[in-house]
Amino acid sequence: MATDFVARGQDLELVEVRKEFPGFVAVESLDLKIPAGEFFALLGPSGCGKTTTLRMIAGLETPTSGKVLIGGKDVTDQKPHERPVNTVFQNYALFPHMTVLENVAFGLRQRKVDDPLPKATAALEMVELNHLASRRPQQLSGGQQQRVALARALVNRPALLLLDEPLGALDLKLRRQMQLELKDIQSEVGLTFLHVTHDQEEAMDMADTVAVMNHGRIEQMGAPEKLYDRPKTAFVAKFLGQSNLFVGEVTDKSSETISINFRGNKITAPNSRIEKSSGKVAIGVRPEKTEFHESKPAASSTQNVLGPGKITDIRFTGVSNQYQIEIPEIGEITVFAQNVGRSPVVELGAEVWVSWKVEHSFGLADLPTGEEDIE
Amino acid sequence: MAFVALGGNAPAKAQTPTKTGRVALYLLLPGLFYLGLFFLTPLFSLILTSLKAPSPSGEIGRYEVAAEFGNYLYAVGQYLPQIIRSFGFALLATIIALAISYPIAYFIAVKARNKPLLKGLLLTLVIAPFFISMLLRTFAWKQIFSNDSWVVNTLKDIGIFGSDSYIIGTNFAVIFGLVYNFIPFMTLPIFSSLDRLDLRLVEAGGDLYANPFTTFRKITFPLSLPGVISGTLLTFIPISGDYVVASRDFLGGPDTAMIGNVVEANFLRIQDYPTASALSVLLMAAIVVLVSIYVRRSGTEDLL
């Protein structure tokens, strides 16, 4: 039913787009290409320039320089109402003086599409709200308003749908449900979605491709699994999930691996998973890839071992436990262990060693903030 | 009892709705008392006076209680042109004031929204005329427009005016004065409506293919309607009864008298109290009818 009136999406291309506001640069020379039909997430902390980027694509801000292309056509100088783009706004921005149905029909009426009301009704059916068509938006719950906003955007068959943190105002349970629905609708109608969010779980959960943005530039872009498995910068390693990072001078290089000297300990990473192989290098590992042992594991070329240290904090998070381990001279390491009954029974203050497989290490292209100056 | 519930540390749930209702009623009493004393009493007296008949003694300014409904017929028959002129002037002045005020209010509320200094300055300018008495300001206009004033002489010099043309006493002068005096009453309510306008709705209009004009027509203007309605009411009603601007002492002339001027003349000069009262009652009734039709037609009863 939905596919009856929604055309396929088109690809979006940003060419060296830059946006300056008085006193600061919001977006620095951004190059981005989103293929048609993809669910793309722009992920970053607040103030990273992601919303400004979205507003430039919608035409609500004019880039200082650079070009915006939709379906290969330059739309940089087009006004918002001339662009084949629709937005689901963060606060939904439903018109309070119109009924839900009139809200959804608004775009169709502006474009003089035939039968706006039946089409709007069909769009409301898609989000299962046709029984509320004659209500005013303010009589609806947050989740319902969000769905009206989605229907109001989707009904226009935009080449590109922009989502500006539309799930931010919803509670966790409703958010999960809307995430699933959004993803379903996207794959059903085959539109190009650009989703702007600061919620890394939401981005990884829903998007085909995630771009992590920081200080007005894209730090890294790729499939969520890839981004998580091999972050290339300290920011991505810390913003997308958690990471234990170790910084030291490279001491050994072989054809397979490199090792750094981290405060007297050797930490090794495979060459296939590093960005940089000389000078000072940051090597990291995800907390769920690390294990701890109550006796010292045998030294091995396939394992990194640190310790002994003391468990300083245990946090029970349901499916897993999060342990903080303080190792003298080394610092704090975070370890996740699943609660499957086989994890070592340890108490606060217990003495443990931490290990992980060399193949799980990743090397970063830059150093974490605060480490750059330490020689 | 209800006051105890308000002042004491009693938990909120102990306050039954009836008690809250009673507190509200008590709080309402001073207002009701004020209205009863200062609105209903004179209104009653006015209606009573409008039905009085001349005293049998024939003494000027002496009347006695009667049910002389003929006073109303006489008032309408005698002063129909002034009645029509009053509402005509009021309508015209309201429309002109709206046309001038809306852009001002829009600029202050929307364009200057993120410029607090400019916004404050402009709002002060809108309110500034209130710092000087309306009588003095109207009198100033009388001087500006007077027959040997700079304005009139210049118009004569450049040939727009003939040698015997004048401004004071014309319909133009009266409507100009009315518009001038009531612009703040139009601007402020529209400003407060537009100030609350969520600009993201305007962006959403553009996002949904509406050009700026359509966005204004379908989103900005409907959402500012409560302000437009209050502004037009605050302008139209007082203008209908205004007796200063159109008076011969100010900007008016023999042919610009409005109901207010007729009422004033009947009360203070001719001492025909019943006719003056009948005109006042008629003016009030006409305004009530016009305003209720207007508010109903604009479909914004719930917004007001």
Side-chain angles (χ1 to χ4, degrees), chain A residues 55 60 80-81 83 85-87 89 91 93-98 106-107 110-111 152 156, chain B residues 198 200-212 214-215 218-220 222-223 302:
Chain A
R55 290 174 60 83
L60 300 170
H81 69 272
R83 299 191 185 194
V85 172
N86 285 112
T87 310
F89 291 90
N91 65 332
L94 299 175
F95 305 128
H97 58 299
M98 297 178 195
F106 189 89
Q110 295 318 309
R111 290 193 308 160
R152 184 176 74 170
N156 301 298
Chain B
D198 186 348
R200 290 173 295 195
L201 296 176
V202 177
E203 288 188 342
D207 190 67
L208 292 163
Y209 313 103
N211 61 40
T214 313
T215 304
K218 294 221 163 170
I219 293 157
T220 308
L223 288 175
D302 52 331

Side-chain angles (χ1 to χ4, degrees), chain A residues 1-6 121-128 185 188-189:
Chain A
M1 30 144 212
T3 36
D4 288 344
F5 60 86
V6 181
T121 308
L124 277 176
E125 251 163 51
M126 184 177 70
V127 295
E128 294 168 7
I185 289 171
E188 192 177 342
V189 299

Side-chain angles (χ1 to χ4, degrees), chain A residues 335-351:
Chain A
V335 176
F336 290 160
Q338 288 230 320
N339 287 321
V340 288
R342 60 176 173 77
S343 56
V345 182
V346 290
E347 286 171 3
L348 272 178
E351 193 183 58

Side-chain angles (χ1 to χ4, degrees), chain B residues 28-62:
Chain B
L28 209 61
L29 277 178
L32 286 176
F33 177 74
Y34 183 92
L35 267 182
L37 198 64
F38 296 108
F39 176 72
L40 289 179
T41 313
L43 182 67
F44 182 71
S45 153
L46 198 67
I47 293 171
L48 210 66
T49 311
S50 73
L51 297 172
K52 279 183 176 176
S55 160
S57 68
E59 199 181 332
I60 290 173
R62 280 264 176 213

